[in-house]
Every structure is written in structure tokens, then in C-alpha cells.
Amino acid sequence: MTGIYLDHNASTPMAPEVLEAMLPYLSDRWGNASSIHAWGRALKKAVEDAREAVACLIGARPRGLVFTSGGTEANNLAILGAARAHRGERRKIVTTSLEHASVAAPCKALAKAGFEVVFVPPGADGCVAAEAIEAVLDERTLLVSVMLANNETGAVQPVTRIARAARERGALVLTDAVQCPGKMAIAVDELGVDFLGIGGHKFNGPHGVGALWMREGTTVEKLLHGADHERGLRPGTANAPGIVGLGAAARLVTARGDGPTRRLAALTERLERQALRSIPDSFASSPPFERRLPNTSNLGFRGVEGESLLLALDMEEIAISTGSACHSGGVDPSPVLLAMGLTRPDALSSIRVSLGHSTTDDEVDRFLETLARVVAGQRAGGAAGD
Amino acid sequence: MTRERVVVAMSGGVDSSVAAALLQRQGYDVIGMTMKTWASREAASPAQRSCCSVDDMGDARRVADRLGIPFYVINLAGEFETQVIANFVDEYLAGRTPNPCLICNSKLKFGRLLDKARAVGASRVATGHYARVGVNARTGRHAIFRAADPAKDQSYTLYGLEQQQLAAALLPLAELDKDATRELARELGLAVSEKPDSQDICFVAKDYREFLRGRAGDRVAPGELVGVDGARLGAHEGAAFYTVGQRRGLGVSGGERQYVVSVDAAANRVVLGSRDALLTRRLLVGAVNWVGIERPGQPVECLVQVRYGNRTFEATVESTGERTARVELASPQLATAPGQSAVFYDETGMVLGGGLIEECVRQAQDRRAPEAP
């Protein structure tokens, strides 16, 4: 594909090392990782090696990891699995209105099943305040689910503080960390959470694979019924190629260290600063960089529809996003931006730019030039929003 | 030479699919767009939408894949709700017959969608409508003409387009008939070649009364059926469920065949009368848009069409104001209803203009002698 890809929060290019690690498992290393013979054992070893690598990525022990089909399944397993495993007096779920659909939707399903579900809104900075969560936490709360970083604005949430408050009241804590590997450090013991979900294709790994980490001692009821893979929590023949790829991607992040992340932050900061400076009537909706993912910039341009910008930039072979990527039905104003208090026109005028480790200075320069031209063009003769 | 970029409004049906393929064959730089007119997936099932359902959108996307063209879904659910659906409900509740396609064409297809087309650098929006856009050589104005296939001609729904919209409209199916379209679809290997045509209003999958009941059941109340003389003839379940000209389902028996002559929404009464009571010689028309000609200073002889089906009546149309007109029918007609569009054609099939019928002056009530044309 040619062009400039600035939609890494939607998905990322698979790293060559990941592809290389996976290839044998797509060709001559076949079998079933549960088989007793040598073919099976070779796969089993590869899966367990990957488990160690992923555990290392999040500062956990391998035993706590359950491989899934991705971040969505991981979040569902935690939320629905915890609710079904703990059929007691605790019938309350506390979450935020920032969450990705893979958290919001199972919470809404539980609400339909009789749970009390509270969606705590963020402040104008895109972060939910720990006090706001604490205000609705009580002994009836079974689970608190707060994402570690928001996919649309990059806002990093105060999960450590929230987790502490939750545990004081005996509630479990899930954090959807899908946007985090490769962008910020993750350490489950520092965070103090009970569940953490990730997905491979967000950090240069393959699609169709992810993991749920569970703290030792926590239980979930399985969602799928079958054989006893993954300690009986997630049946299904191991997706060996995918899991191997996930492990390789995790290893890459761990080996990378801080340098590239700092480069990314500087690049994103420059992009945002120059966009705001060179394009009149523009605004940013992400919090300051100390509380933000290093690659995400949510920008708005008054008088222009974000959707029209997306299309016009697509014509120039530049990929960005508006709202969340997971919509097949066109663009709605971002519920996250609306929850932050943006006006509807401002929310409709917003785009999300998310860089990756492969993004170059030159690409940022060309993007800025095209962006300014396209915004000016939309304002001059193209359609203006209401 | 750079190819002209155009956007094709794709519904997932045969017509718009073939339109896209034809234009691509003709050398245009084609981009496909579909309008999402529903907010929730529940409202988007084929059971709820006779056209442009979530499945149809998938069909459109696959046609775009097959043609190798970009495809976008444009979310116009809000606008569709407030401008098309709400108007549909309100008009019936007011005792008038609405024209959702007219509004959709003017405000959405050649309105908001045209905005999005410009956003991607396209100059025009193409649709699978059977109609021709061109120029009236005599006036230099952009004009609409009937399609080559009179049975499929859809020029009736396009009269609301302004000049700048017509300048940006491209209708490649103008010269084709439906069989030719399907044949072309088969030839092009489009999976939708055998898909049945959607017959009715896109957002009403079954009966419009059922739709109204679901949407505005609380604004509909039982009332009286009365004769033109005011005599009570029976009861109705809601004035909105009756349309002027209706003969069936009136629930009254005996004597001469009865027709709905008018719907008095304010009094929640439906007035029934004989055929003679329904005959109309004159229409008072509002929201008039002149197309092929400018607003005329003199009465103009024309052929007027007052509902879908492409039947026309000889008439004379006279402009009575900026956006009003009076139509004198050469012979009295039954088929006119307030709210319906009256579209004026010349003998070549060109749309002179059109508007919404505000009043059907029934022959029986019209004491003025008809003016000589």
C-alpha cells in the first residue's frame, strides 16, 4: 500500500520479525498443540514460549494469561465471566462512558440481565476522575472496568488509583489495555488490577489473537464450552501461528525500550503543535502529553466535517480516522468527545490522528501540508457543516 | 486527459449498480457512496427497510469491490429522520399525501450527498434514476426529461432539483429500459442482476398505515366518516389512515360507490362522496419549482402528472406567485390529492416545473365557470 498511514490506533503493520516468527507455523510446523506426540509438543512449546513473552510485556506471570481471539473476547471473558462466576449479592458494575464497545456492550448486556451498571463520564480533559468513580463505588460493586488509555483521544486514565479504591471495597477491576503495548509501560502489579486485556494487531502483531491476564485467585466462568484448553477457561485448539506472532510482537516491544516511544511522542507533539498553529479555527481534544498516549492526537477544525476530511484525505492516500473504527455504517459524532463535553458541531469536526513507530518526519510534514490544504479547500468551496 | 470524478449513489439495487459500472466503462473516475438512512441496526433489517437495508448496503459494497472503486457509507440517519420520515408522518397526520422521495432527492441525494461528493473532489452525483438531465436549448436552463422507458421513468420525483443541482446530476440509465439494465448487470457479472426491484417507499417495508401506527399511534384517534353534506356515515380509526381518492376499506355500504373526497385533519373527519364529488378541474399548487423554463408570465399548456404511474392529463398551468401556480385541467379528473406532487411536462417529455398540490378544487364546489384555455 502506498500513502501515509496515520491510523495506528485502528491497526498496525505487522512487524517483519513477527511474520518471520509465524511463518514456520504456517508451513511446515503444523499440528495440534494439545497432541501428545512430537508434532504437538513442538507447537505446545511455541505457545508456552509466547505466553512467557506476553507475560513479560505486562509484568505478569505466564500462568495468569489466557489466549483469546483478540481484545474484544478478552474483555468479554473478564466482564461476563466475572459476573457469571460471582452470583452473589454484588450486582453492580461501575465503568466509564469512555470505554470501547467491547467493554460497553457486555456491560449493557449485564444491565439487561438485571445488573445495575453505572457509566461514569469523563471530565473535559478526557480522563475520568478517580473521585467520580469512588463516589459510586460501594460494597454492592462486583466489578470496575476502566480502560488504561482511550483509543480516540489517547487519554491515560488513573487506573492505579481507581484500582486501589475498588479493592478497598472488595470489587474486582478490569482494565482494557488494548491501546497500550508499545506505547506505554504496563505492569499489572503497579496497576493493581485483577484483569487486563490486550490484542495483537494493535502492536504490530497479527490479527485474531489477544490475551486476558487474570490475577491469581480470581475466577471467571468460561464463555465457550468445549475441551479444557487454557486451564479450562477458553476451549479451542490453540491458534499456534497467531499466538507465536503475539509472542514475537511482545518481545519486540520489550526489546525496544523507551527511545522509540520518546521519538514518537516528540513527533506527535510536533504534528499537533504545527497543525494548531498553521490552521486557523482549530482545536485539540487530547489531554496534555503527560497524561496521553505518545502517538495520538485528536484534532478539530471548525466549519469542516470530520467525515469530509477523512474522505478528502483518503483521496490523497492519507489514512486517519473519526470516531471509533469499529463502525460499518458511516460516521457518527464520537460519543467519547460528546461525553467530554464537546458540542455536537465540534465533535463532528474532529479527526483522530494516530502515529506509529514506522511514521517518519517526512510523512508528518507531508500530512501537515495536505491537511492545511484540504481544510482550506473544504472551508472555501466544499461542504461546510451546519 | 484527466478523467472526471463522479460519485454514484449506490443503494445495492440493480439500477445504481449498473449506473456505476456503465460510468466506469465510459471512462469516469467513479466513487461509490451509499446513504445510511437508519440510526440503529434494528431499523435496518430487510424486514424494516425495503431498500437500503444493512444487507443492501453489503450488496452495494460488493459491487464496488467488483468494480474496484472506493466505497463509502455516508451517515445521514439524522437528516433522513428529521427531513424525510418526520415529514412523511406529519403530512399524513395533516390529511395530506406525502412525497418522501421528492425530499430525499432534493435534500439528501443531490443535497448532503453532493456535499460529500465535492469533499472527495467529484463534480457530480450519479444515480440509477430512469430520467434524463440535459439543457433546454430554448432557455439555456438545465432540464429534466422523461427516460426512454416510459414505464420506468422517474422524472416525476426529480422536479424539486434546483438548477445548480441539475448541473451536478448525471443519470446514465436514461436511455435504457429495465431489461437492458438487467442484461448489462449480467454481462458485467454483478451479483445483483436478479435482485428484485424495491417497489415502495424505502423506509416502509409493509403497509404505511402500520408504519404510522408504530410511529404516531398516540397522535391518531378515532373519528367520524361523513358525507359531503355533513351527514354521519360511520366511524374511522384515524384520519391519517385514509387518502383522498381511496375507494376500498371505507366500511360503509349501500348505494353509490363512495370515495374519500377529503381528509379534515383538524376536525379528525374523513369526508366521503360519490365519484362526481371527487372530480377536480383545478389544482392550486404551492412550493413550485420551475425547471426547464423560468417562471412563465403567461399560462402554459402542458401535460400534468399528479401521482406515480406516469399518466398525464392535458392542462394549462399559470404562475400565480413566486412559488405558486394554478392548474386548470382540460377534463375533470379523479386522481388528485392534496400533498401530492403536480409535475408539468411539455409534449417532448421535458419537465417544465412542478409543485405540491395544496388544494383540489372539486368540480362540485367550484362555482366559477372554467376559464377558456
Side-chain angles (χ1 to χ4, degrees), chain A residues 296-337:
Chain A
T296 307
S297 175
N298 196 300
L299 298 168
F301 306 96
R302 296 201 168 95
V304 183
E305 289 181 23
E307 179 185 64
S308 300
L309 269 189
L310 191 159
L311 301 185
L313 287 169
D314 189 28
M315 290 291 108
E316 306 268 355
E317 296 190 327
I318 296 177
I320 51 121
S321 163
T322 62
S324 176
C326 310
H327 287 225
S328 61
V331 171
D332 278 316
S334 157
V336 167
L337 293 181

Side-chain angles (χ1 to χ4, degrees), chain B residues 22-45:
Chain B
L22 263 181
L23 289 173
Q24 187 186 53
R25 214 192 229 186
Q26 289 168 13
Y28 287 90
D29 175 13
V30 178
I31 294 175
M33 285 188 182
T34 196
M35 303 191 306
K36 175 168 154 306
T37 57
W38 32 268
S40 68
R41 290 182 84 85
E42 294 81 55
S45 70

